[in-house]
Amino acid sequence: MPTPRVAALHDLSGFGRCSLTIVMPTLSAMGVQCCPLPTAYLSTHTGGFTGNTFLDLTDQMAPVTAHWKSLPLTFDAVFTGFMGSSAQIALAADFIRTFQGPGCLAVVDPVMGDHGRPYRTYTPEMCQAMAELAALADVIVPNRTEAALLLGVDYESLSLDQEADCRRWAQALSLDGRRSVVLTGVSPAPGTVGAMCFDRATGTTEIACAPLAPGSFHGTGDLFASVLVGALTKGQPLAAAAQLAAEFTSLCARRTGKQALPAREGLDFEPLLWKLGGMTGGEGWEG
């Protein structure tokens, strides 16, 4: 079998684990070729750092898309994450329209906010544009805040503590079953965290969960989504892919908590990447 190929449209930070510095090594460890299309270059990410440099690469997105199309390249998946402007979101939508097809899965991580609020850079116009981008996806990976924004409901009304509510919200996000949904931040039982997965292929809804690690770490969502994309690209069913993502993210968070590292450095995931190579379900993993 040829090596699967994923086009990843994310920003790149030189320091602070997030976006492409997580996406690229994770996919590579899973035996997937990652073809990055950077939307911006930052010296550091913006969570806990100040004075970072920022190079906007919006004007490169259309030429890269055109060049890749002319080669012609094909992809097994397109994976989008944080976008810096409405223009970038529109260009990401053009990229998906160019390469999406029966052999190419479009996975949109609709990065817009957390803890009940949009990120300070996200305007209502950008949130609407992200919803339109997500409408093109085969799979979306929203957290609770992003789910509320996509559904146009109040954040406080969207409870993820009860399984029945989680199932209802995941199904509501599916656009009447047209796309699969992995709704993250679900806590089906005390001390656990994971995702509710609606699979459009089967019409079923299942929970994927793992032990909840103490603390909050930058890049957790990026790691979860990257493992999910890698597993889907390797042919794993949605629920199995989400379970692998939950288990590996939990393992890395537990390791990071033991290191007492500065939170802004993100998850200490690199020493554990080898565990993804076998694509097992995580049996016997130890933090």
Side-chain angles (χ1 to χ4, degrees), residues 29-101:
M30 298 179 77
V32 177
Q33 180 187 4
C34 180
C35 301
L37 199 172
T39 59
Y41 176 77
L42 297 82
S43 54
T44 67
H45 66 69
T46 57
F49 294 98
T50 59
N52 61 283
T53 66
F54 177 82
L55 177 63
D56 188 346
L57 297 175
T58 303
D59 62 357
Q60 293 299 304
M61 293 177 69
V64 170
T65 301
H67 185 214
W68 285 359
K69 181 182 180 181
S70 73
L71 289 178
L73 291 181
T74 59
F75 299 99
D76 295 279
V78 176
F79 175 27
T80 71
F82 178 83
M83 296 286 150
S85 65
S86 294
Q88 286 193 351
I89 297 172
L91 289 165
D94 289 341
F95 189 97
I96 288 176
R97 293 188 189 98
T98 298
F99 291 101
Q100 188 179 26

Side-chain angles (χ1 to χ4, degrees), residues 6 32 37 51 62 69 97 112 141 151 183 188 197 244 253 268 283:
V6 172
V32 177
L37 199 172
K69 181 182 180 181
R97 293 188 189 98
M112 293 184 282
V141 195
L151 291 169
L183 175 58
C197 309
L244 179 66
D268 185 25
E283 296 85 350

